[in-house]
Amino acid sequence: MRHTSPTSKSPYPLIGQSTPLGPAHSDSVTHPPQRRRLVESPRGGEGTTELTAARDSSHVKEKMEQHTGAAEFNILLATDSYKVTHYKQYPPNTTKVYSYFECREKKTDPTKLRKVKYDKTVFYGLQYILHRYLKGQVVTREKIQEAKEVYREHFQDDVFNEKGWNYILEKYNGHLPIEIKAVPEGSVIPRGNVLFTVESTDPECYWLTNWVETILVQIWYPITVATNSREQKKILAKYLMETSGSLEGLEYKLHDFGYRGVSSQETAGIGASAHLVNFKGTDTVAGICAIKKYYGTKDPVPGFSVPAAEHSTITAWGKDHEKDAFEHIIKQFPSVPVSIVSDSYDIYNACEKIWGEDLRGLIEKRSADAPLVVRPDSGNPLDTVLKVLEILGKKFPLVENSKGYKVLPPYIRVIQGDGVDINTLQEIVEGMKEHRWSIENIAFGSGGALLQKLTRDLLNCSFKCSYVVTNGLGVNVFKDPVADPNKRSKKGRLSLHRTPSGDFVTLEEGKGDLEEYGEDLLHTVFRNGKIVKTYSFDEVRDNGKLKESELEDLLL
Amino acid sequence: MMAAQDFNFLLATDSYKITHYKQYPPNVNKVYSYFECRHKKGGQHNEVVFFGLQYLLKKYLAGRVVTEEKIQEAKVFYQLHFKQSVFDEEGWRKVLEKYDGRLPIRIKAVPEGKIIPRGNVLFTVENTDPDFFWLTNFIETMLLQMWYPITVATISREFKKILAKHLKATSGSLEGLDVKLHDFGYRGVSSQESAALGGAAHLVNFCSTDTVAGLLMAQRYYACPMAGFSIPAAEHSTIISWGKSREKDAFECMLEQFPSGPVAVVSDSYDIFKACKHIWGDKLKERVMERSEDSALIIRPDSGDPAQTLIEVIKILEECFGCSLNSVGYKVLPSYLRIIQGDGIDLNSINEILEKLSDEGWSAENVFFGCGSALLQKINRDTLNCAFKCSYVETNGKGMDVCKQPVTDPSKGSKRGRLSLRRNSDGLIETVERGAGKPQEDMLVTVFENGTILQEYTLDEIRKAAQIWEEDVSPSEHNKEDNTSLEIHQKLIMNGVH
């Protein structure tokens, strides 16, 4: 590759080649108040030599991998850097730290009308984190050594709590002395309630509770995917019921298209499994694998798919051969549903001329078990869906269902998988209803909106310390910043109960100990390195299913 | 390097791709696809940082990724998943037999760290053996996840441009730029793997992070022994565990525990303004003044409107500790005292904050920033319109340029034919379509062929390639230039140069 000194740009980087703006040379780094230089460290020097050599020599590279333990996860390196320094910061003689996780209730600005309130959340995903990262012997001599070296370079100082980790290694054989209590997985709980608590079980390991905050707070993701997916299920249930009189096929109405749009393979596994709490249609294979490995189901697989075309399998035939591509593909899959993306050139022409005329005979021969599913993939979603339905409705004989809505013949359906999020979904089904189209005609696919366009703030997920024991005395603690009352946290030891009227309530300051409030809905799931309670995916689905009362509310 | 053993490559794709080998035209023997960040009219971020492919190749694609066990696992799995036999068992067995389970694929890519204008090819993928035409797009799903490290690295670099501009204007130098934006995003991403990938992508531009996973990725996949730094810092739990009446004791403990290096203390547990005025600025004032530039106290607000809170905090600190003017006439707090704002930071708010600070006469030297979700999570494949499309096929050995061109959305149109990337005689980077590019000009480098990684990059090299240039920091000129280059670029397209 030739060097590309950009003629239209200054040939000089801002502060000269020797000290480029970027942190290209670790020894030119100006860390705010820098103490020691990285280059002085023996390990840094050694690493550099090794790495240079590694570029030409695979066996050295393998050696390096072994040296750094590449494959193995190290809980000592799976936290925010600053937590490495926290054991020095708690009050002297602290013997317990107790923290909890909630999806905070947000007092919303009444002038801002948010279409979806998300007033309840689906609790899901803790079991994955416990199984994958926290259970068993997670601390070893090698991991302590690795962490010690990494943090010495990272902080340019010895701040790592080697003694504390050695204590866990020796006293607990590397198992984590913490207890986690949580609501059952799949539970649907109103915002603002405790969902799980974490506490240290050994007075020496008070600092461990919040060490695991970073990894545990990532549960915001499966909770948020499952919750958002469930809200979409409510919308689909409402309109499907209203336009067809039944909920048949509901579990296949929202197909997961999100694999490519998430940020990693692991995220795909977690997010897709969270969608499957509510639905059964997915193309994100990783989600099924995660469920099989970390939850288990009585069915061999918890999610299904159908053969489907993509643009490459259509455009590879050439622009003049779209009809040949369509014909070939439907013939390849005669006895099962097959979805065909039809917008490579002109979705309306494809529906009218190719499907509606050229290949009409072939389609009419298909059965209700093996429909052609036409997939538009561009344009305004609602307009496109309506126009496609209108064209197909003219070419194929419509029937009216018991609720008086139009239904295409059972051998042809539509799937909209572009631009679908919870808001557009609502708009499309509402628009279809207005135009007297039954929701039976359509299924949806959602990718980015289902698995990626979500953040921890959507449900205000937070993990906060609420109780500590210092000098043998328990203290209820909380934060309450003047500038944002929404950020106030709960106080003391917490428990979750149901009132006689069935509402959920979180009791603070250890009040739940009193018998009058009934049993605590938080169950111990993890204690001293062991998982003591697990849920099958069937239980998760059952806990998360739409309740009769919710359906009644939707149809009001 | 070998891809992870327990990972089954055959299960790492969208379900429907299992059925595609049956759908291509008969006698197809090559499928050629490419990745780009499509140019969108009126879109932000006109150039992207190419980063992350090496991780995917090393972790998932290199070496013997197909085994008989994996084929059997996939066969059973897909039978259940589709409730019918559609899996191409024979095709995969042929990969195993003919190539010992290594992928007969060639990937050519822009060198990592390169800054490339939107709308250009960034990498191409093609099968190297006519039997495996279906393999090219089988790996689309996995390769398209490249959107994530590219987008994080690009957004992080946009932060850097803003910071550089203000720092230069209000301090006269760029000292400390690469630690101005600290990665707070570990807890706010969707998985450990995303934390690692996103954390490493930020480290292309900065060397300041709390996302330890990113450091490990830089170490293991990009040969950088230590890519980023951090300092001791408090969190709310370590402050409130002292009790509400003992916030001062908690603060004092921090100063005592970490006397010789910088230390950050979150100070809004109850009232950030009172904490600054009465605790830092009064009760602990002498303890704070004893510290030096190398062991600064860094106060962290964490709630309220970021710009307003920051201005109010800095004014309180000025009243208590005084300030001085730097060489370009902006106010600077004493060198032992700094602020870090880590709540509510994104590309818009950081610019607003820095503008307000300079309007009020304050240098950007006074402040560090922390950014979590805006850096690592609040982004998606549409942020830079990342797409992977087939542009060329060979049927019976005869090549054909293909593309999609939906009438319902012209911006989704794709490029045609075999592609190459070059710098033209005007110095502009452009994509040459339809196989018309000269091999000696092509900026795309073969990084992967038949299971082997052919070219590797270190984080040091990547950081050099992605560094910021003078024009990046003077936005007016930069925009002008960008528009011009865009116009020229479009003119070339219209003149049929491609």
Side-chain angles (χ1 to χ4, degrees):
Chain A
M1 191 198 69
R2 71 191 172 120
H3 175 63
T4 51
S5 181
T7 52
S8 57
K9 284 190 169 186
S10 151
Y12 302 106
L14 255 176
I15 42 183
Q17 280 294 358
S18 55
T19 50
L21 254 188
H25 303 296
S26 49
D27 58 350
S28 70
V29 161
T30 46
H31 195 240
Q34 183 86 26
R35 278 161 289 157
R36 259 164 276 141
R37 295 291 185 201
L38 181 63
V39 285
E40 286 167 13
S41 111
R43 188 168 174 269
E46 185 188 291
T48 311
T49 325
E50 197 175 62
L51 296 168
T52 314
R55 295 196 63 203
D56 319 302
S57 155
S58 57
H59 74 272
V60 178
K61 216 157 51 190
E62 274 160 34
K63 193 185 125 208
M64 180 185 85
E65 241 186 279
Q66 280 166 10
H67 174 68
T68 55
E72 228 185 322
F73 173 79
N74 186 346
I75 185 73
L76 284 71
L77 294 169
T79 197
D80 286 304
S81 308
Y82 73 158
K83 290 189 180 278
V84 174
T85 70
H86 288 168
Y87 72 102
K88 290 186 170 195
Q89 301 179 21
Y90 287 102
N93 305 316
T94 295
T95 51
K96 186 189 270 296
V97 170
Y98 174 107
S99 295
Y100 76 100
F101 180 95
E102 69 171 324
C103 298
R104 287 197 314 262
E105 207 175 358
K106 196 149 188 184
K107 309 281 180 293
T108 41
D109 183 351
T111 57
K112 270 191 203 159
L113 233 166
R114 208 159 151 198
K115 282 174 188 160
V116 192
K117 287 202 208 79
Y118 301 107
D119 46 12
K120 290 177 197 166
T121 61
V122 181
F123 184 70
Y124 174 70
L126 182 59
Q127 189 163 305
Y128 169 82
I129 297 173
L130 299 180
H131 267 283
R132 174 138 188 197
Y133 296 121
L134 297 182
K135 74 168 182 190
Q137 189 189 348
V138 294
V139 185
T140 62
R141 186 80 54 212
E142 295 69 39
K143 289 182 183 185
I144 294 173
Q145 194 56 31
E146 184 193 18
K148 185 180 166 185
E149 289 173 18
V150 166
Y151 290 130
R152 185 190 291 138
E153 298 305 326
H154 181 49
F155 286 102
Q156 301 284 287
D157 198 0
D158 281 311
V159 286
F160 176 63
N161 185 10
E162 189 180 359
K163 194 169 148 244
W165 286 102
N166 274 325
Y167 177 84
I168 295 174
L169 177 61
E170 282 153 23
K171 182 150 183 199
Y172 295 95
N173 189 28
H175 291 60
L176 301 179
I178 51 172
E179 177 165 1
I180 300 176
K181 293 178 171 184
V183 298
E185 298 233 353
S187 299
V188 181
I189 309 284
R191 293 272 285 279
N193 282 297
V194 57
L195 295 173
F196 66 86
T197 64
V198 185
E199 61 194 292
S200 48
T201 58
D202 183 313
E204 293 289 320
C205 303
Y206 63 91
W207 51 271
L208 188 58
T209 303
N210 272 37
W211 182 282
V212 292
E213 171 184 2
T214 310
I215 201 165
L216 288 174
V217 168
Q218 287 185 351
I219 197 181
W220 76 264
Y221 178 66
I223 287 177
T224 305
V225 174
T227 300
N228 187 47
S229 153
R230 191 171 186 274
E231 289 299 322
Q232 294 181 81
K233 191 176 184 178
K234 284 188 189 170
I235 293 170
L236 287 161
K238 173 180 157 72
Y239 284 87
L240 183 60
M241 186 60 107
E242 285 173 352
T243 63
S244 82
S246 102
L247 289 180
E248 208 187 307
L250 176 61
E251 286 170 323
Y252 293 94
K253 285 287 174 199
L254 186 64
H255 199 90
D256 178 353
F257 279 9
Y259 206 161
R260 68 191 63 184
V262 290
S263 48
S264 68
Q265 290 291 327
E266 187 184 7
T267 294
I270 299 169
S273 74
H275 174 63
L276 290 172
V277 171
N278 309 298
F279 290 90
K280 288 188 171 172
T282 188
D283 257 39
T284 306
V285 176
I288 299 173
C289 300
I291 290 167
K292 283 162 71 93
K293 193 160 176 186
Y294 298 99
Y295 287 85
T297 49
K298 60 176 191 298
D299 296 333
V301 288
F304 303 93
S305 187
V306 299
E310 67 174 20
H311 287 105
S312 84
T313 66
I314 306 294
T315 59
W317 292 73
K319 188 166 180 177
D320 301 331
H321 296 277
E322 195 179 24
K323 186 207 125 215
D324 299 329
F326 287 3
E327 183 172 355
H328 175 78
I329 295 168
I330 56 174
K331 282 181 173 166
Q332 288 287 322
F333 306 100
S335 57
V336 292
V338 58
S339 147
I340 301 197
V341 65
S342 308
D343 78 324
S344 295
Y345 313 106
D346 184 341
I347 177 70
Y348 305 127
N349 177 66
C351 289
E352 182 148 358
K353 296 287 185 327
I354 306 179
W355 296 127
E357 293 169 15
D358 302 343
L359 300 176
R360 187 179 157 157
L362 270 175
I363 297 166
E364 284 171 344
K365 284 188 204 134
R366 299 182 73 92
S367 71
D369 292 334
L372 162 70
V373 185
V374 176
R375 178 157 76 93
D377 193 43
S378 46
N380 172 287
L382 172 60
D383 297 346
T384 309
V385 164
L386 289 177
K387 194 159 170 192
V388 164
L389 286 169
E390 191 190 323
I391 294 170
L392 296 176
K394 283 189 182 135
K395 296 289 178 183
F396 296 94
L398 291 176
V399 294
E400 201 171 276
N401 68 18
S402 61
K403 292 277 177 180
Y405 288 85
K406 294 177 280 187
V407 188
L408 288 167
Y411 50 76
I412 187 164
R413 290 288 175 262
V414 175
I415 183 166
Q416 173 68 29
D418 179 53
V420 173
D421 62 26
I422 195 164
N423 297 315
T424 55
L425 180 72
Q426 166 73 37
E427 283 164 27
I428 298 167
V429 289
E430 175 64 31
M432 282 178 65
K433 189 184 165 194
E434 275 171 24
H435 288 82
R436 310 302 295 168
W437 287 104
S438 169
I439 305 309
E440 289 164 272
N441 293 295
I442 197 165
F444 295 90
S446 184
L450 188 68
L451 299 190
Q452 182 61 33
K453 288 184 184 172
L454 304 163
T455 67
R456 191 161 66 91
D457 292 339
L458 183 71
L459 303 176
N460 299 107
C461 296
S462 85
F463 182 96
K464 292 294 158 203
C465 173
S466 63
Y467 177 78
V468 292
V469 177
T470 306
N471 292 316
L473 279 178
V475 189
N476 298 333
V477 300
F478 61 98
K479 62 179 263 197
D480 189 10
V482 279
D484 188 352
N486 282 318
K487 282 193 169 183
R488 191 191 80 87
S489 63
K490 298 187 192 300
K491 293 178 196 174
R493 284 178 301 116
L494 309 173
S495 54
L496 183 70
H497 303 267
R498 290 198 92 146
T499 64
S501 59
D503 297 332
F504 287 92
V505 59
T506 296
L507 294 177
E508 303 187 28
E509 306 185 42
K511 285 174 189 156
D513 293 348
L514 300 173
E515 268 180 28
E516 58 193 279
Y517 295 105
E519 64 155 349
D520 185 359
L521 300 175
L522 302 179
H523 302 291
T524 300
V525 291
F526 182 92
R527 194 179 156 83
N528 296 350
K530 287 202 178 68
I531 294 176
V532 297
K533 188 165 179 54
T534 56
Y535 300 90
S536 73
F537 202 70
D538 302 303
E539 290 172 273
V540 177
R541 279 179 161 166
D542 194 51
N543 289 334
K545 71 180 179 209
L546 295 183
K547 317 273 183 296
E548 287 291 331
S549 59
E550 287 177 295
L551 290 171
E552 282 162 21
D553 289 349
L554 287 172
L555 296 169
L556 277 181
Chain B
M1 191 177 288
M2 288 278 284
Q5 286 308 301
D6 58 340
F7 175 80
N8 190 346
F9 176 78
L10 283 68
L11 297 174
T13 195
D14 285 303
S15 309
Y16 73 158
K17 291 191 180 276
I18 298 304
T19 70
H20 289 169
Y21 73 102
K22 290 187 169 196
Q23 301 180 20
Y24 286 104
N27 306 317
V28 160
N29 29 52
K30 186 188 273 294
V31 172
Y32 174 105
S33 296
Y34 77 100
F35 179 100
E36 69 170 322
C37 299
R38 286 199 309 262
H39 189 77
K40 201 137 190 185
K41 251 197 169 160
Q44 287 178 305
H45 320 314
N46 288 324
E47 56 185 20
V48 303
V49 184
F50 186 69
F51 176 72
L53 183 59
Q54 183 165 305
Y55 167 74
L56 289 182
L57 297 180
K58 285 188 176 184
K59 174 130 188 181
Y60 297 119
L61 294 176
R64 192 167 185 258
V65 296
V66 184
T67 62
E68 185 56 38
E69 296 71 42
K70 289 182 184 183
I71 293 173
Q72 288 308 320
E73 184 190 14
K75 183 184 169 185
V76 172
F77 180 93
Y78 289 122
Q79 171 72 41
L80 295 163
H81 182 52
F82 286 101
K83 298 181 193 160
Q84 62 178 306
S85 305
V86 285
F87 177 64
D88 184 15
E89 186 179 355
E90 289 318 304
W92 285 102
R93 184 151 304 112
K94 215 185 266 180
V95 176
L96 184 58
E97 284 164 3
K98 218 166 159 180
Y99 293 94
D100 190 31
R102 293 160 174 268
L103 302 176
I105 284 286
R106 179 181 302 118
I107 301 175
K108 294 172 88 175
V110 163
E112 298 216 9
K114 273 273 177 214
I115 310 301
I116 307 288
R118 289 272 285 277
N120 282 297
V121 57
L122 295 174
F123 64 86
T124 64
V125 184
E126 63 196 295
N127 55 299
T128 56
D129 179 323
D131 281 346
F132 305 103
F133 63 90
W134 48 269
L135 194 53
T136 302
N137 272 37
F138 186 91
I139 57 176
E140 170 185 6
T141 310
M142 170 177 286
L143 290 175
L144 201 41
Q145 288 185 354
M146 273 296 292
W147 75 266
Y148 181 63
I150 288 175
T151 306
V152 175
T154 300
I155 297 294
S156 157
R157 193 167 177 273
E158 294 296 317
F159 270 109
K160 193 171 182 178
K161 288 182 190 170
I162 294 172
L163 282 159
K165 181 182 85 177
H166 287 279
L167 192 60
K168 187 95 192 275
T170 63
S171 82
S173 100
L174 287 165
E175 210 185 304
L177 176 62
D178 49 23
V179 293
K180 277 285 173 198
L181 186 69
H182 200 88
D183 176 354
F184 279 8
Y186 204 162
R187 71 191 64 183
V189 290
S190 47
S191 69
Q192 291 293 320
E193 189 182 10
S194 295
L197 202 43
H202 173 64
L203 292 170
V204 167
N205 307 294
F206 291 90
C207 51
S208 193
T209 189
D210 256 37
T211 303
V212 178
L215 301 169
L216 302 181
M217 174 157 299
Q219 193 179 79
R220 290 166 185 175
Y221 294 91
Y222 287 94
C224 184
M226 183 47 65
F229 303 94
S230 187
I231 58 169
E235 68 175 17
H236 287 105
S237 85
T238 65
I239 303 296
I240 65 176
S241 57
W242 293 72
K244 185 166 179 178
S245 58
R246 296 211 293 160
E247 195 177 24
K248 184 214 130 209
D249 298 336
F251 288 4
E252 195 167 10
C253 169
M254 290 297 294
L255 299 179
E256 277 168 10
Q257 287 287 341
F258 306 102
S260 60
V263 59
V265 184
V266 65
S267 306
D268 78 323
S269 294
Y270 314 106
D271 186 332
I272 177 71
F273 309 119
K274 282 184 184 157
C276 290
K277 191 165 183 173
H278 301 307
I279 305 179
W280 296 124
D282 183 10
K283 292 184 186 122
L284 296 176
K285 183 174 175 181
E286 273 147 38
R287 306 293 308 265
V288 174
M289 291 174 66
E290 282 164 13
R291 299 184 77 91
S292 70
E293 184 179 349
D294 290 340
S295 61
L297 164 68
I298 304 172
I299 293 174
R300 177 157 76 94
D302 194 41
S303 45
D305 175 81
Q308 277 175 15
T309 309
L310 199 60
I311 296 285
E312 200 168 336
V313 163
I314 207 167
K315 281 181 178 164
I316 294 171
L317 296 176
E318 179 189 17
E319 277 168 33
C320 300
F321 295 93
C323 68
S324 57
L325 290 185
N326 66 17
S327 63
V328 285
Y330 284 86
K331 292 195 279 188
V332 189
L333 289 169
S335 60
Y336 53 78
L337 190 59
R338 291 290 177 263
I339 304 171
I340 182 163
Q341 175 69 36
D343 180 52
I345 296 303
D346 60 26
L347 283 172
N348 294 324
S349 71
I350 201 170
N351 197 45
E352 188 195 325
I353 291 167
L354 287 164
E355 265 168 20
K356 276 204 177 137
L357 278 173
S358 76
D359 287 350
E360 305 255 345
W362 288 101
S363 168
E365 286 166 271
N366 295 291
V367 189
F368 297 97
F369 294 92
C371 186
S373 74
L375 189 64
L376 299 192
Q377 182 62 31
K378 234 177 189 168
I379 49 178
N380 57 68
R381 189 161 69 89
D382 297 336
T383 308
L384 300 175
N385 299 103
C386 297
F388 182 96
K389 293 293 158 204
C390 173
S391 63
Y392 175 78
V393 294
E394 282 175 13
T395 310
N396 292 319
K398 199 166 159 281
M400 175 173 62
D401 298 346
V402 300
C403 66
K404 62 179 265 197
Q405 246 183 340
V407 284
T408 27
D409 186 355
S411 81
K412 282 193 168 184
S414 61
K415 298 190 189 302
R416 292 161 200 233
R418 280 171 296 125
L419 308 174
S420 62
L421 189 69
R422 69 163 185 178
R423 194 179 288 278
N424 68 18
S425 52
D426 294 316
L428 303 173
I429 291 172
E430 64 181 12
T431 299
V432 185
E433 302 187 34
R434 298 175 187 271
K438 295 184 191 124
Q440 68 274 20
E441 283 186 342
D442 196 358
M443 293 167 71
L444 301 178
V445 178
T446 303
V447 290
F448 181 92
E449 196 166 283
N450 298 344
T452 305
I453 293 172
L454 297 178
Q455 173 73 47
E456 290 190 41
Y457 304 93
T458 65
L459 188 64
D460 277 356
E461 291 168 326
I462 293 166
R463 283 173 161 178
K464 269 182 206 136
Q467 70 199 350
I468 287 183
W469 297 75
E470 202 158 340
E471 286 73 16
D472 296 321
V473 180
S474 33
S476 53
E477 284 172 44
H478 177 64
N479 284 345
K480 200 175 81 200
E481 180 196 86
D482 237 23
N483 288 339
T484 332
S485 58
L486 203 67
E487 272 163 36
I488 294 172
H489 190 66
Q490 254 141 23
K491 234 180 264 167
L492 288 172
I493 295 168
M494 278 187 263
N495 293 342
V497 168
H498 291 336

